[in-house]
Amino acid sequence: MELGIALDLSEPGVSTGTWDELARLAEERGLALVVLTASDGRESVPEGGGAAASGEPSGEGAAAEQPATAGLDPWTAATWLAGRTSSIGIGVPLPDLRAESSHDAVTPYPMVVAKAGESFDLLAPGRLLTDAAAWVHAPRGASAEELSVLAGQGRPVVVPVDSEQEVRRLADLVSGAPRVVRPQRSLAVRARRRPGIDYESVPESLAGLAVEPGDPGYRGVASNYLRAGSPGLVLRPGTPDEVADALGYARRHTHLPLGIRSAGHGVSGRSTNKGGLVVDLRRMNGIEVLDPARRLVRIGPGATWKQVSAALHPHGWAIGSGDYGGVGVGGLATAGGIGLLGRAHGLTIDHLRGVELVLADGSQVRASADEHPELFWAFRGAGANFGVGTAFEFEADRIGQVGHAELTFVTTDIEKSLADYGRIASEAPRDTTVFLVTGRPRQGQWTVQLFGVVDNPDPEVIVERLTPFAQIGLLAQQQVVVTPYMGVMGSAADVGPEGHQGFGQPVSRSAFLPRLTPEFARDAADLLRSGRVYFFELRAMGGAIADVPSGEMAFPHRASAFQVTAMGANDGSINQVWDPLRHHFDGLYLSFETDPRPERLHDAFPPAVLERLREIKRHYDPNNLFRDNFNIDPHPDARTAPSGAVKS
Amino acid sequence: MSDYGHDLLFGSFITPSASGAQQAVELAVTSDRSGLDLVTFQDHPYQASFLDTSTLLAYVAARTENVHISANVTSLPLRPPAVLARAAASLDILSGGRFELGIGAGAFWEGIAAMGGRSLTAAQGVEALREAITVIRDLWDTDTRGGVRHHGQYYQVNGAKRGPRPAHDIAVWVGAYKPRMLALTGSVGDGWLPSMEYLPRGVESLPEMNARIDEAAEGAGRSPSDVRRLMNFMNVQFSPASGGLLNGPAEAWAEQIAALALEHGLSAFIIGGDDRATIERFGAEVAPAARDMVARERGR
Ligand SMILES: Cc1cc2nc3c(=O)[nH]c(=O)nc-3n(C[C@H](O)[C@H](O)[C@H](O)COP(=O)(O)OP(=O)(O)OC[C@H]3O[C@@H](n4cnc5c(N)ncnc54)[C@H](O)[C@@H]3O)c2cc1C
């Protein structure tokens, strides 16, 4: 039984102080909902009868004796209450504005009312109920029996209250933990529901914040950074228990795509989809220091590397991440993390000491060197296949000021530029990690950007390390700063409640390059001359990345000097120019690969690694719940073809 | 030279960005904690990237303790006066007398029309505002018996119930630049709330604009000091060297503010910029220093 309280805004006896306290007490005691009513009707009925009555449900029927003045404005009161409380549902029927606004002084404009609703949702997400059909009114002082009869309708029951005692009585009637009320969608929203999703059975713990197409916050959770999406339901757990609830729900919907989303920068993983489920972990973004002496930190999957770098900065620590601070912990720390500190400090997964995760069957485990070691091995490189990481324990490095460089060159001889870069970047001391980005030529000329980090605070050393790179083209722009790592990650844009606005479907190819040979430079130059690749990146590896034995985790490609990424317009077009390059490569980095051909799985994981992964998969996810990112099918022989990389 | 003798108020002008909803709330909380007197938000309902200002004001009022809250300024054409009056009074009650009503005749008529509002000419806008202020004050007036009736050119009210009664005398501050609006401000407003950047000749415009308000106030049988002179400053910055109005070290800010108070009668200083550190310094360093200087001068 879900109970709530109804506060009468026209009640002359209840002072606003008490009124506030009643709502807070209700929240504290685990009641589901505060409904604001105005039994006097919000406006007096206009003489001419022209303007719409406010549409408030008057639970107790017309008040016998109308107060001489109007009570509090329900919308203002509801918003105020949202600010005074933190989680309880707030019910306030929006005025019924079907009537054309008549420029009188008492009727609000429908579009302004709608905007007010959206704003409420941005300020206090998921807490507003505006449809009076979402709850049932009980009479003042209703007995336990009466209440349970009303609760039989399956909606929360609200009781008018005017004392703390009464709130306590109601709270005692609801046993168990505080619950979030299931927002009742209007008919219009329900009409946009997708087939195959049992919306009514969304677990109680997730219902309050779940987002459906048509909900006010939907646009903000539909798309990713690079990919447009239109999922049928987005679940937003905030605790491992809630993640387990979400996976339980997903197990009942295996006919639909399932995306696991941390910060939404996925290129390969389908952390959004069409018509399917998304488990969005953005709320789980805590960052805490566990052990200062060992520099152990515990980070939620939804944190971004920008946030992580800022949180670690005061301690003088950092964890090498990618090259962009907007990328999430969950996606990077399950796949690799080839970043600007790579040669000096290794991959992101090299710093992982333990991970808490929720498995496909909903159980919660911790994996580390001595707890579920096989799972821990698999998670670092192929994590997306094995569970949902809910907390990542890293050992941070002590990292002070670094040199951060962004150099822009122009060149007409891209082949030479690539070859020069390849030689210089791989010969550089390991404190230096420099990436190269270029794209289509313009009028026979390429713009080449180098950006990198020198892990040394001394400006002279920084300049010395960068000087050899100056010969790769005609230097057009340079920016070199000495900054903490936070400054390197800090330029990423923050994502607000409007979320990501990605559109289209990225087409990306990725590979490991053992050495950047003259032949590769020549072939890559051809690729760029074709004009079919608008983004081309070389990430320098080696150094500390290569120190880790290749069998140590499910990221076997340790010996490569570079990781190559190319993005193009569509599969057909990019394959024509990319496939001829394959003989240069040894495997692929799954985070940047979107090729749907099944054989790509074998590029991501060499045979022995893949076999070991399948074994572990059979143990931890035998029914293949986790399949949105380079799926390792536990029973490949049972199907006709090996299930490879994801399909769009 | 006119000092109307009001206490000095210091406030912030925060962008009600929808994309940084919590950030807007945080800046308001910072303003409150920094000891500012006022937190204000612009009101442009047709601006998709902004929150609904009325909703934001109520939420911010709930999250703050001492600061007064106002729109800067309410777009009247999309805020029916009776609705506005009740929301204002309700928030004033809920917040313990911390709401003030900044209001303007409206701008960006295309946007207003797009949201379902009607387009008015400048002159009509002024008259509509005059009517609206009457309606609003009538709704707040619960001492008079009977419903509110208003059969105006722009608004109809047919016996609406009065109330609720605000917790304190809510000030009506009018955003005005043109002569007709200045005259309206003088005759019925409790305050004048423009932005320095929009004054035709900056500070130099002040004597003439003040005089228009004074004249209208006297014409309506009021005193010029019934109308507080507030001012927004959108481009402000603390910097080591003085580089113009509210652009320099904190002491320079305080001196400029004291001069504006003593020479031009300004008594509320509201800064934009959405910068946390600037807000904190404004409250901690500028406000007390400026208050001191003005008190010392006035005490002479
Ligand atoms: C602008 C940009 C820059 C990048 N730079 C780099 C770089 O320098 N180095 C690098 O290595 N990569 C880089 N990447 C790739 C990036 O690491 C991956 O795309 C990564 O998956 C993004 O993580 P996310 O949490 O933001 O993404 P999401 O889209 O949230 O997740 C992507 C996928 O990761 C898996 N996943 C996410 N969270 C979890 C979890 N908690 N548990 C289990 N699986 C999970 C899922 O399969 C999901 O589909 C970059 C991507 C972009 C868009």
Side-chain angles (χ1 to χ4, degrees):
Chain A
M1 171 161 74
E2 277 181 327
L3 294 183
I5 59 173
L7 296 173
D8 186 347
L9 300 170
S10 54
E11 184 86 42
V14 181
S15 78
T16 54
T18 337
W19 194 78
D20 233 69
E21 282 153 26
L22 294 180
R24 285 210 253 190
L25 183 65
E27 169 165 294
E28 206 177 285
R29 291 295 174 107
L31 294 184
L33 179 63
V34 184
V35 168
L36 302 177
T37 65
S39 60
D40 61 336
R42 203 171 51 122
E43 312 297 351
S44 67
V45 179
E47 283 171 342
S54 70
E56 249 87 82
S58 76
E60 302 84 81
E65 198 177 293
Q66 294 219 339
T69 62
L72 293 178
D73 169 56
W75 185 254
T76 306
T79 315
W80 162 271
L81 260 190
R84 301 301 275 187
T85 53
S86 57
S87 62
I88 196 164
I90 296 185
V92 55
L94 284 182
D96 178 359
L97 293 173
R98 273 163 309 181
E100 263 306 290
S101 165
S102 54
H103 298 308
D104 60 28
V106 296
T107 313
Y109 292 90
M111 287 177 76
V112 178
V113 171
K115 178 168 181 132
E118 281 169 25
S119 297
F120 190 116
D121 203 61
L122 288 171
L123 291 162
R127 298 179 54 201
L128 177 67
L129 287 87
T130 58
D131 183 349
W135 57 83
V136 183
H137 284 273
R140 191 175 290 275
S143 68
E145 295 73 44
E146 284 176 276
L147 291 173
S148 72
V149 171
L150 287 171
Q153 299 183 24
R155 290 179 284 163
V157 180
V158 297
V159 187
V161 297
D162 50 18
S163 70
E164 298 197 355
Q165 218 177 336
E166 176 67 352
V167 176
R168 288 207 187 84
R169 178 182 78 95
L170 296 175
D172 289 343
L173 293 177
V174 210
S175 50
R179 283 187 283 175
V180 185
V181 69
R182 180 182 296 277
Q184 191 79 21
R185 267 86 182 179
S186 68
L187 270 175
V189 173
R190 277 180 281 156
R192 299 173 68 172
R193 288 181 161 181
R194 300 298 162 87
I197 302 183
D198 182 4
Y199 289 93
E200 298 303 328
S201 77
V202 172
E204 210 67 51
S205 63
L206 299 165
L209 294 182
V211 187
E212 301 180 11
D215 280 348
Y218 180 74
R219 217 165 47 106
V221 295
S223 290
N224 275 350
Y225 182 73
L226 285 176
R227 191 186 299 277
S230 50
L233 179 65
V234 180
L235 299 174
R236 297 156 65 199
T239 64
D241 285 346
E242 289 174 13
V243 171
D245 289 346
L247 295 183
Y249 185 79
R251 284 196 302 277
R252 288 183 270 124
H253 289 84
T254 49
H255 53 287
L256 297 174
L258 169 65
I260 306 296
R261 177 190 299 160
S262 285
H265 276 68
V267 184
S268 60
R270 264 39 177 188
S271 63
T272 188
N273 53 44
K274 280 193 191 128
L277 307 180
V278 169
V279 177
D280 185 316
L281 306 163
R282 197 160 120 194
R283 293 171 62 218
M284 301 177 75
N285 62 354
I287 302 173
E288 63 181 306
V289 174
L290 293 180
D291 181 349
R294 292 166 58 211
R295 299 189 301 276
L296 269 195
V297 295
R298 186 173 180 277
I299 305 178
T304 65
W305 290 103
K306 174 179 178 176
Q307 292 162 350
V308 173
S309 64
L312 300 190
H313 167 68
H315 303 277
W317 307 340
I319 300 170
S321 47
D323 57 18
Y324 186 66
V327 167
V329 169
L332 199 73
T334 46
I338 305 174
L340 297 174
L341 286 170
R343 291 166 54 79
H345 296 276
L347 301 176
T348 306
I349 50 175
D350 299 348
H351 294 82
L352 208 53
R353 296 293 171 263
V355 58
E356 290 164 28
L357 42 93
V358 182
L359 300 175
D361 67 0
S363 56
Q364 298 174 30
V365 301
R366 196 188 132 84
S368 67
D370 33 52
E371 300 144 288
H372 298 277
E374 274 298 279
L375 178 59
F376 191 48
W377 177 86
F379 201 74
R380 289 169 297 165
N385 264 283
F386 293 93
V388 176
T390 54
F392 294 76
E393 213 174 285
F394 294 98
E395 183 177 327
D397 285 322
R398 200 171 280 123
I399 292 174
Q401 302 279 101
V402 300
H404 181 211
E406 290 184 20
L407 312 173
T408 307
F409 300 87
V410 285
T411 180
T412 49
D413 189 350
I414 190 68
E415 180 176 339
K416 178 173 182 306
S417 294
L418 293 176
D420 287 348
Y421 161 80
R423 186 172 31 78
I424 298 159
S426 41
E427 282 170 4
R430 58 198 287 158
D431 62 9
T432 301
T433 310
V434 175
F435 293 179
L436 175 149
V437 169
T438 186
R440 288 189 183 116
R442 293 234 165 80
Q443 281 134 22
Q445 181 168 291
W446 279 265
T447 302
V448 177
Q449 276 179 301
L450 297 189
F451 57 106
V453 161
V454 179
D455 181 19
N456 191 307
D458 182 347
E460 275 182 37
V461 175
I462 296 169
V463 171
E464 186 190 317
R465 297 285 194 264
L466 296 173
T467 306
F469 288 97
Q471 57 171 276
I472 75 141
L474 188 66
L475 187 59
Q477 247 179 50
Q478 55 167 323
Q479 201 199 358
V480 183
V481 293
V482 181
T483 169
Y485 187 60
M486 180 175 90
V488 180
M489 288 292 106
S491 60
D494 288 308
V495 177
E498 281 164 2
H500 293 299
Q501 309 296 321
F503 54 94
Q505 305 293 329
V507 173
S508 181
R509 295 291 177 269
S510 130
F512 290 110
L513 190 63
R515 280 184 322 120
L516 202 163
T517 58
E519 295 75 33
F520 174 79
R522 185 195 61 216
D523 291 352
D526 282 345
L527 168 99
L528 291 168
R529 271 190 288 267
S530 76
R532 292 179 185 227
V533 164
Y534 65 83
F535 175 92
F536 179 86
E537 178 163 24
L538 287 166
R539 280 162 209 264
M541 297 172 62
I545 298 176
D547 290 348
V548 178
S550 88
E552 192 150 318
M553 40 191 103
F555 185 99
H557 310 281
R558 293 284 177 172
S560 289
F562 295 94
Q563 191 276 134
V564 194
T565 303
M567 300 184 85
N570 57 56
D571 284 325
S573 152
I574 198 167
N575 287 347
Q576 274 189 23
V577 291
W578 180 259
D579 285 347
L581 264 62
R582 289 198 183 274
H583 62 278
H584 294 291
F585 303 144
D586 178 20
L588 64 78
Y589 180 40
L590 59 80
S591 279
F592 289 106
E593 179 65 59
T594 66
D595 190 342
R597 288 174 286 187
E599 57 266 30
R600 288 293 88 80
L601 186 64
H602 301 278
D603 294 334
F605 306 109
V609 172
L610 184 58
E611 205 26 65
R612 186 169 168 187
L613 287 170
R614 284 210 210 281
E615 188 63 43
I616 304 169
K617 179 86 174 174
R618 280 194 283 275
H619 185 73
Y620 287 100
D621 184 14
N623 298 322
N624 205 11
L625 183 69
F626 300 117
R627 56 193 186 282
D628 84 282
N629 199 357
F630 273 81
N631 189 211
I632 299 160
D633 190 327
H635 308 288
D637 307 329
R639 328 242 154 135
T640 42
S643 158
V646 282
K647 298 182 184 65
S648 296
Chain B
M1 288 285 176
S2 46
D3 175 359
Y4 303 95
H6 296 119
D7 291 348
L8 297 199
L9 301 179
F10 296 85
S12 57
F13 184 111
I14 300 168
T15 311
S17 304
S19 61
Q22 287 307 329
Q23 197 181 327
V25 176
E26 282 307 315
L27 287 172
V29 170
T30 300
S31 305
D32 189 35
R33 296 211 179 119
S34 309
L36 295 191
D37 308 287
L38 271 175
V39 163
T40 69
F41 301 94
Q42 54 194 307
D43 181 30
H44 297 290
Y46 34 81
Q47 172 65 265
S49 61
F50 287 177
L51 292 163
D52 171 57
T53 297
S54 299
T55 303
L56 178 62
L57 286 168
Y59 191 83
V60 159
R63 286 302 181 91
T64 51
E65 300 297 332
N66 300 309
V67 82
H68 285 235
I69 319 274
S70 172
N72 193 344
V73 290
T74 305
S75 173
L76 177 66
L78 287 169
R79 309 281 183 193
V83 178
L84 193 54
R86 291 217 216 289
S90 298
L91 193 47
D92 200 48
I93 294 168
L94 290 164
S95 65
R98 293 194 282 122
F99 185 80
E100 314 297 344
L101 184 66
I103 194 165
F108 305 105
W109 293 100
E110 260 174 51
I112 288 165
M115 294 287 278
R118 62 183 153 188
S119 291
L120 300 177
T121 65
Q124 290 170 329
V126 178
E127 282 322 299
L129 178 57
R130 191 183 295 275
E131 276 187 28
I133 291 175
T134 310
V135 170
I136 290 167
R137 290 208 172 114
D138 281 351
L139 262 106
W140 288 343
D141 169 19
T142 52
D143 291 337
T144 305
R145 296 197 61 99
V148 174
R149 269 162 225 289
H150 179 91
H151 298 291
Q153 178 107 39
Y154 299 96
Y155 294 109
Q156 304 300 318
V157 190
N158 302 312
K161 198 170 289 180
R162 294 172 189 272
R165 182 200 193 105
H168 86 304
D169 281 335
I170 297 178
V172 177
W173 295 332
V174 183
Y177 299 94
K178 300 264 169 63
R180 252 193 294 249
M181 281 291 285
L182 292 169
L184 169 99
T185 307
S187 59
V188 300
D190 301 310
W192 176 43
L193 178 49
S195 295
M196 188 55 95
E197 284 76 7
Y198 297 145
L199 301 191
R201 287 171 292 118
V203 176
E204 284 175 40
S205 303
L206 283 171
E208 187 190 324
M209 296 174 92
N210 267 330
R212 283 208 186 261
I213 296 171
D214 294 351
E215 202 178 298
E218 276 158 358
R222 314 167 76 209
S223 149
S225 65
D226 288 347
V227 186
R228 181 191 274 283
R229 318 297 153 112
L230 307 96
M231 188 65 69
N232 298 315
F233 299 84
M234 303 314 295
N235 304 319
V236 301
Q237 199 184 353
F238 287 109
S239 53
S242 271
L245 200 50
L246 303 198
N247 194 331
E251 312 82 71
W253 282 45
E255 280 164 21
Q256 290 167 343
I257 284 174
L260 288 168
L262 296 165
E263 288 168 28
H264 296 289
L266 299 190
S267 61
F269 302 84
I270 304 171
I271 58 163
D274 293 325
D275 181 61
R276 189 187 168 113
T278 306
I279 289 173
E280 282 169 349
R281 281 188 76 181
F282 190 49
E285 297 174 34
V286 176
R291 280 199 174 100
D292 264 10
M293 289 179 204
V294 169
R296 247 179 292 130
E297 281 301 315
R298 283 180 180 165
R300 258 187 213 178

